[in-house]
Amino acid sequence: MSNQSLSSDQYCDQSKDDYPQHLDKPEEACGVFGIYAPEQDVAKLTYFGLFALQHRGQESSGIATFDDKQLHVYKDMGLVSQVFNEEILDQLPGQIAVGHNRYSTTGSSHIANAQPAVVETPLGPLALAHNGNLVNTIQLRDDLLKHNSNLMTTTDSELIALGIAAEVNHGKGWLEAAMSAFQSCQGAFSLVIGTPDGLMGVRDPNGIRPLVIGTLGGNSGGYVLASETCGLDIIGADYLRDVEPGELVWINDEGIASFDWSQKPERKVCIFEMIYFARPDSIMDDQTVFSYRLRLGRQLAKESTPDADMVIAVPDSGVPAAIGFSRESGIPYGEGLIKNRYVGRTFIQPTQSMRETGIRMKLNPLKDVLVGKRVVLVDDSIVRGNTSSKLIKALRDAGVAEVHMRVSSPPVTHPCFFGIDTDNQEQLIAATKSVAEIANYIGVDSLAYLSWEGMMLATRKDSKSFCSACFTGHYPVPLSEELKRSKLMLEEVQV
């Protein structure tokens, strides 16, 4: 088994607070990838799959492969292209691979918490990659400790893997053990699980986080699991279907089999996947995410179009909605902000003067295009408002006459407990300020959000099939009072 290239103590003092904040956005938890292809270079295909899913997590990356009964694993802190090279991938032979990109939600940003999580069982090793977040981790941890389980990390993902191992220890096979362990898991979990005998793909009963199935062409065949279809496209796999809420798929040399492990599945896909997280070229609900975001912009223009000369976007995630807004309103769309796409996470902190104008590290205004213009600035969300205020100041400094901000989602008023790293509720600007107060705080001439009804109308689906708790506070999975108090304001807990 391969080890990490850097020892854990080199990173043990780093936490996610040490990284510069991204734009004023919530952060996704993870991207997962799995492949069963006996005659293919599964490690290299997984590398490219993770490369396509890099937007879902930039803290760590890992790949585990199964060469018959032998497990090989390599994981480290950093982007996929920083963690792996040809020499490392050549040391990961096998017919099955599991890959993971991580952004920490449960468990801090340490090398020990990088995935896939690996545990030993009487049936052989298990490697698990998890996208989502459990809401009953304290209970699961206590139960495992009572049974003398050896916890190596602080992640909820390890708890799932150890839960499966505990069931195997009781004499169950892979499928029975996994389905039994899942009964104790509450929250969001899309899983790719590798074993010496086959590959599993699993979604929680609400299907909060996405997971898709693809097929590899050619004589050798094979199956692929990925968080998004863009992970299939990059390796030439064809989209077959989604893993359904409450479903487990089992892939081995006999093909693919499906099992309904949950008796009461109820689809509640995270709406923020479509608004912001997923790549625009990924397919969700039989449409590209780009097309949905285009409709969001059109609906936003129907609800609130100011007098203006130009529509500009906060790139990249605000671009589709801005184009839709322009087409519906008739106000010309133009490039007003240029994004430096090579600014990633860094351990080197900017100087104080750079921090004061920190938005320029990622976005820079085109002064000659913007000077004297009344602009509509379209973004997909405002979470804290700090970055938005810096961006508005940069536009003012560039000579913009008026800034009318339009947001292609409703106000974010509640934190997520299911795999999106959002602040505590009191740090969410829309939870403590009115729209007029937010407009004044960030310094715009006017501000309008898309209505919840408009957001749902653009999905062209039943609104009951989505989780929109960050906008409504209506969570699809019951939360303990202790968990509520960890993120919700006191008055919310008392309601």
Side-chain angles (χ1 to χ4, degrees):
M1 182 184 297
S2 302
N3 295 319
Q4 296 92 344
S5 63
L6 296 177
S7 62
S8 60
D9 58 359
Q10 286 178 269
Y11 280 100
C12 66
D13 293 329
Q14 297 287 352
S15 72
K16 66 184 178 182
D17 293 331
D18 295 323
Y19 292 98
Q21 290 293 321
H22 277 205
L23 292 181
D24 191 12
K25 307 291 180 188
E27 295 286 358
E28 177 56 278
C30 302
V32 299
F33 188 90
I35 184 169
Y36 181 92
E39 297 183 28
Q40 301 272 358
D41 187 342
V42 293
K44 186 168 288 187
L45 292 174
T46 301
Y47 168 87
F48 285 109
L50 293 178
F51 191 84
L53 297 170
Q54 186 72 85
H55 59 289
R56 300 186 69 89
Q58 299 88 44
E59 286 188 358
S60 64
S61 184
I63 296 175
T65 62
F66 290 83
D67 188 14
D68 292 326
K69 299 293 182 180
Q70 182 66 41
L71 172 68
H72 307 269
V73 60
Y74 192 94
K75 49 189 175 178
D76 208 343
M77 304 298 290
L79 304 176
V80 179
S81 59
Q82 296 170 324
V83 172
F84 295 99
N85 56 36
E86 292 272 3
E87 181 181 357
I88 292 170
L89 292 172
D90 288 342
Q91 298 173 23
L92 299 172
Q95 305 82 39
I96 297 171
V98 173
H100 190 268
N101 289 332
R102 184 169 193 263
Y103 181 88
S104 62
T105 52
T106 297
S108 57
S109 177
H110 297 167
I111 183 63
N113 289 331
Q115 293 187 35
V118 174
V119 297
E120 292 290 338
T121 81
L123 296 177
L126 174 152
L128 178 146
H130 173 207
N131 175 210
N133 205 58
L134 301 186
V135 297
N136 64 329
T137 54
I138 295 176
Q139 176 189 337
L140 288 176
R141 184 177 298 274
D142 290 345
D143 290 345
L144 287 167
L145 289 174
K146 288 177 183 176
H147 291 88
N148 299 317
S149 294
N150 186 20
L151 302 181
M152 302 296 293
T153 76
T154 61
T155 69
D156 54 349
S157 309
E158 183 192 32
L159 299 179
I160 303 174
L162 288 172
I164 298 172
E167 297 295 334
V168 172
N169 289 339
H170 292 148
K172 297 176 181 177
W174 287 121
L175 295 177
E176 186 184 4
M179 289 188 280
S180 179
F182 299 151
Q183 302 298 329
S184 300
C185 298
Q186 298 172 18
F189 51 98
S190 285
L191 307 171
V192 174
I193 304 171
T195 76
D197 303 310
L199 180 70
M200 293 184 216
V202 184
R203 285 177 86 186
D204 64 76
N206 298 120
I208 295 174
R209 299 278 150 239
L211 189 64
V212 300
I213 309 169
T215 56
L216 286 169
N219 296 328
S220 60
Y223 289 92
V224 184
L225 300 167
S227 291
E228 298 178 35
T229 61
C230 64
L232 307 179
D233 297 337
I234 194 172
I235 63 170
D238 295 319
Y239 170 71
L240 180 62
R241 65 177 179 86
D242 288 8
V243 177
E244 295 298 324
E247 181 186 18
L248 181 154
V249 295
W250 174 244
I251 302 167
N252 58 16
D253 57 3
E254 296 180 359
I256 184 169
S258 171
F259 302 88
D260 295 323
W261 68 267
S262 174
Q263 295 181 351
K264 295 182 179 180
E266 183 182 8
R267 186 184 190 271
K268 292 288 183 181
V269 178
C270 172
I271 193 69
F272 234 116
E273 290 280 356
M274 299 178 69
I275 293 169
Y276 172 65
F277 290 124
R279 254 178 50 167
D281 53 329
S282 286
I283 303 291
M284 297 187 75
D285 285 329
D286 302 320
Q287 62 184 322
T288 62
V289 173
F290 179 91
S291 296
Y292 172 67
R293 292 174 185 169
L294 205 69
R295 292 199 300 275
L296 289 176
R298 285 189 175 276
Q299 182 64 31
L300 182 60
K302 291 177 181 178
E303 294 182 7
S304 179
T305 297
D307 291 329
D309 306 308
M310 183 181 182
V311 176
I312 65 174
V314 177
D316 289 314
S317 57
V319 170
I323 294 173
F325 191 101
S326 172
R327 291 178 180 176
E328 184 66 33
S329 67
I331 302 172
Y333 172 81
E335 293 283 345
L337 294 164
I338 299 301
K339 182 178 181 180
N340 181 356
R341 292 174 175 83
Y342 300 96
V343 176
R345 290 170 181 252
T346 174
F347 291 103
I348 300 174
Q349 299 298 307
T351 65
Q352 179 60 32
S353 61
M354 288 175 67
R355 278 195 291 270
E356 291 173 356
T357 57
I359 193 68
R360 302 294 181 89
M361 288 184 68
K362 286 205 168 185
L363 297 172
N364 208 25
L366 294 171
K367 293 183 179 181
D368 60 333
V369 173
L370 296 170
V371 64
K373 294 291 198 309
R374 301 171 301 166
V375 302
V376 179
L377 176 65
V378 178
D379 202 358
D380 55 80
S381 60
I382 300 175
V383 179
R384 292 171 293 275
N386 297 331
T387 302
S388 297
S389 63
K390 291 178 181 178
L391 179 56
I392 302 308
K393 183 179 184 302
L395 292 173
R396 300 285 192 196
D397 292 343
V400 170
E402 296 177 9
V403 183
H404 302 277
M405 192 163 189
R406 296 297 181 266
V407 183
S408 60
S409 64
V412 177
T413 56
H414 289 73
C416 178
F417 294 89
F418 308 119
I420 299 174
D421 187 23
T422 51
D423 288 317
N424 293 340
Q425 190 175 21
E426 63 266 20
Q427 296 171 307
L428 304 176
I429 192 169
T432 58
K433 288 179 169 61
S434 67
V435 173
E437 289 171 332
I438 297 172
N440 182 64
Y441 177 84
I442 64 177
V444 292
D445 294 280
S446 72
L447 170 66
Y449 291 83
L450 182 64
S451 67
W452 182 88
E453 292 79 9
M455 175 184 69
M456 288 304 179
L457 181 65
T459 67
R460 296 178 177 173
K461 299 284 184 178
D462 184 354
S463 62
K464 294 180 180 179
S465 65
F466 292 95
C467 174
S468 59
C470 51
F471 307 119
T472 66
H474 299 143
Y475 296 101
V477 179
L479 306 175
S480 68
E481 289 301 309
E482 183 178 5
L483 190 58
K484 289 179 183 179
R485 289 181 183 278
S486 70
K487 278 195 170 185
L488 294 175
M489 293 186 293
L490 184 60
E491 54 268 29
E492 286 286 343
V493 177
Q494 293 174 339
V495 170

